[in-house]
Amino acid sequence: MDLCALCSRQSRGFGFCLHLRFDRYPDHRFCSQACLKAGTRLARRSNGMIDKSPMERQAIRDARQPLAEALGELGLLAAFQDRSAGEIDRLIEACIDGFQASMRAQADAGVAPF
Ligand SMILES: [Zn+2]
């Protein structure tokens, strides 16, 4: 079982390879029609490759607001008020890393995908 090339969720049968040249370009797998569409657009622009790192950095920044909202709802915002953006991003990355590590471990253990 593979993970989505874009969001690292479990892939679900959506795939893309530039010009269907599996010998020349990477074969990407995706979790959904939405990721397939976005990933295909990226791969077409970058010679078949998907470079997630700039997107990942932006996604981490974009996650700050929903994290702040959740902290606010739980009454925890005050504890984080004096923290730097870098420290907040560490929390976000820890959640993402933990989530992705679990997905890989479950996949490696042969957990049924559906
Ligand atoms: Zn995805």
Side-chain angles (χ1 to χ4, degrees):
M1 193 195 74
D2 296 314
L3 299 178
C4 177
L6 212 56
C7 73
S8 296
R9 288 198 180 97
Q10 191 177 298
S11 72
R12 292 181 189 269
F14 300 94
F16 175 79
C17 178
L18 192 64
H19 309 308
L20 294 175
R21 291 290 306 270
F22 297 95
D23 55 325
R24 291 191 57 187
Y25 301 105
D27 178 17
H28 303 290
R29 301 275 154 203
F30 301 97
C31 68
S32 61
Q33 197 72 45
C35 279
L36 170 68
K37 206 173 156 192
T40 297
R41 204 178 313 123
L42 272 180
R44 286 207 169 108
R45 275 204 310 247
S46 0
N47 200 29
M49 307 298 285
I50 294 177
D51 179 12
K52 281 198 307 179
S53 37
M55 288 181 71
E56 284 170 335
R57 284 194 292 276
Q58 183 61 48
I60 287 166
R61 282 194 293 272
D62 290 344
R64 289 176 191 160
Q65 184 59 37
L67 173 63
E69 286 167 15
L71 290 171
E73 285 165 19
L74 296 169
L76 296 169
L77 207 51
F80 293 89
Q81 262 170 356
D82 298 328
R83 295 298 182 166
S84 69
E87 288 172 321
I88 299 299
D89 290 352
R90 256 184 78 188
L91 293 174
I92 294 167
E93 284 174 59
C95 294
I96 295 166
D97 290 348
F99 179 94
Q100 292 178 347
S102 172
M103 293 291 280
R104 282 188 206 100
Q106 290 182 65
D108 289 346
V111 174
F114 297 102

